[in-house]
């Protein structure tokens, strides 16, 4: 079984809809991250969490919110989706000072 | 602030030829550096990492990278390209200066391998 899972893998939604992307990990890591990937821009950090009570904004947090429900679960929400949020979204986990492990990604399309 | 620059958004090499993907970083403190690979429709997979031990780092699939402090570079190389190396490659630096150690990614280099 995969160490980092994301659901859904693909989602098409309409402008103005609320949507939640979910991430779960079995690696026992405290640190979790949400990124978005756009062609030519690499990966940009949306939010990150170092433990259940610690949530931090990344470089592009506007229009997004997160919830850390447990050590193993970190959800990303778009309260009112807009077309320029169409992207590939990745969740990642890490232990302190170690490499990050990535999920398979969620491809989100906002019409 | 720390940053990463990957020179060349697209690189093409012939099968069997040398692969060289360039990465330059900016960091006010000794950096942790990483190379990741992304195959089509997949997540990112760690190729190798530099964490202040040996400056020549060997990774998976025959890749290696050399940390050169004087040039602020961490270029990725492979002596002989295979068709299966076609993918997108990302260099990343860990934000040690802020104490958070979160990643800052380069914009990626897509490698094409020609038969």
């Amino acid at each position: 079984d995969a160490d980092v899972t994301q659901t859904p893998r693909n989602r098409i939604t309409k402008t103005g809809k609320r949507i939640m992307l979910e991430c779960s990990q079995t690696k026992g890591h405290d640190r979790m991250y949400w990124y978005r990937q756009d062609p030519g821009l690499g990966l940009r950090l949306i939010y990150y969490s170092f433990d259940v009570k610690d949530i931090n904004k990344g470089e592009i947090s506007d229009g997004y919110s997160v919830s850390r429900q447990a050590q193993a679960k970190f959800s990303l929400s778009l309260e009112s989706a807009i077309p320029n949020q169409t992207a590939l979204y990745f969740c990642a986990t890490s232990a302190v000072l170690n490499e990050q492990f990535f999920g398979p990604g969620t491809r989100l399309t906002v019409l | 602030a720390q940053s990463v620059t990957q020179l060349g958004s697209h690189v093409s090499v012939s099968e069997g030829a040398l692969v060289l993907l360039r990465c330059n970083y900016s960091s006010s403190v000794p950096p942790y550096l990483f190379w990741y690979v992304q195959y089509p429709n997949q997540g990112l997979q760690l190729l190798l990492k530099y964490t202040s031990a040996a400056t020549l780092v060997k990774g998976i699939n025959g890749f290696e990278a050399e940390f050169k402090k004087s040039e602020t570079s961490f270029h990725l190389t492979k002596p002989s390209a295979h068709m299966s190396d076609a993918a997108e490659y990302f260099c990343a630096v860990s934000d040690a200066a802020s104490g958070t150690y979160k990643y800052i990614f380069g914009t990626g280099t897509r490698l094409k391998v020609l038969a």
Side-chain angles (χ1 to χ4, degrees):
Chain A
D1 288 340
D3 295 320
V4 185
T5 58
Q6 293 183 235
T7 56
R9 293 293 312 278
N10 288 282
R11 180 73 182 266
I12 300 174
T13 191
K14 295 182 178 180
T15 296
K17 295 291 187 181
R18 184 180 188 275
I19 184 168
M20 178 181 287
L21 310 182
E22 299 185 333
C23 176
S24 295
Q25 53 112 348
T26 58
K27 298 192 73 68
H29 291 162
D30 287 327
R31 299 185 170 205
M32 298 188 73
Y33 310 79
W34 276 105
Y35 295 89
R36 67 176 277 175
Q37 183 181 17
D38 299 278
L41 297 180
L43 280 79
R44 292 179 292 166
L45 185 62
I46 306 172
Y47 271 95
Y48 60 103
S49 169
F50 286 169
D51 65 41
V52 174
K53 296 182 180 180
D54 180 67
I55 304 289
N56 303 279
K57 292 182 177 181
E59 58 182 306
I60 55 163
S61 59
D62 287 348
Y64 302 94
S65 62
V66 291
S67 172
R68 184 83 183 263
Q69 301 95 322
Q71 185 204 37
K73 296 184 182 296
F74 192 36
S75 299
L76 176 72
S77 293
L78 287 67
E79 296 301 326
S80 179
I82 56 177
N84 77 359
Q85 292 177 313
T86 292
L88 190 54
Y89 290 85
F90 286 104
C91 173
T93 75
S94 75
V96 180
L97 302 186
N98 283 337
E99 67 266 27
Q100 294 186 15
F101 295 85
F102 286 79
T106 294
R107 187 170 297 279
L108 176 66
T109 302
V110 183
L111 301 176
Chain B
Q2 290 167 296
S3 64
V4 171
T5 301
Q6 289 184 242
L7 297 176
S9 58
H10 292 82
V11 171
S12 294
V13 299
S14 298
E15 191 174 21
L18 172 71
V19 176
L20 171 61
L21 304 182
R22 299 178 187 273
C23 174
N24 288 87
Y25 70 91
S26 171
S27 177
S28 58
V29 299
Y32 288 10
L33 294 159
F34 306 84
W35 274 100
Y36 281 82
V37 60
Q38 184 181 28
Y39 297 105
N41 299 313
Q42 295 188 25
L44 278 72
Q45 178 184 2
L46 182 70
L47 275 176
L48 48 82
K49 62 181 179 181
Y50 168 76
T51 55
S52 74
T55 57
L56 183 61
V57 181
K58 294 186 182 300
I60 63 172
N61 301 338
F63 284 94
E64 62 182 37
E66 186 172 7
F67 173 71
K68 292 187 176 180
K69 183 178 179 180
S70 60
E71 298 177 8
T72 61
S73 69
F74 190 58
H75 301 333
L76 181 70
T77 61
K78 183 174 180 177
S80 177
H82 294 170
M83 298 298 290
S84 60
D85 294 327
E88 190 158 22
Y89 292 80
F90 293 94
C91 182
V93 64
S94 182
D95 185 6
S98 70
T100 63
Y101 296 94
K102 62 184 189 292
Y103 280 12
I104 300 162
F105 280 91
T107 52
T109 298
R110 188 171 297 278
L111 177 66
K112 185 175 182 179
V113 182
L114 307 172

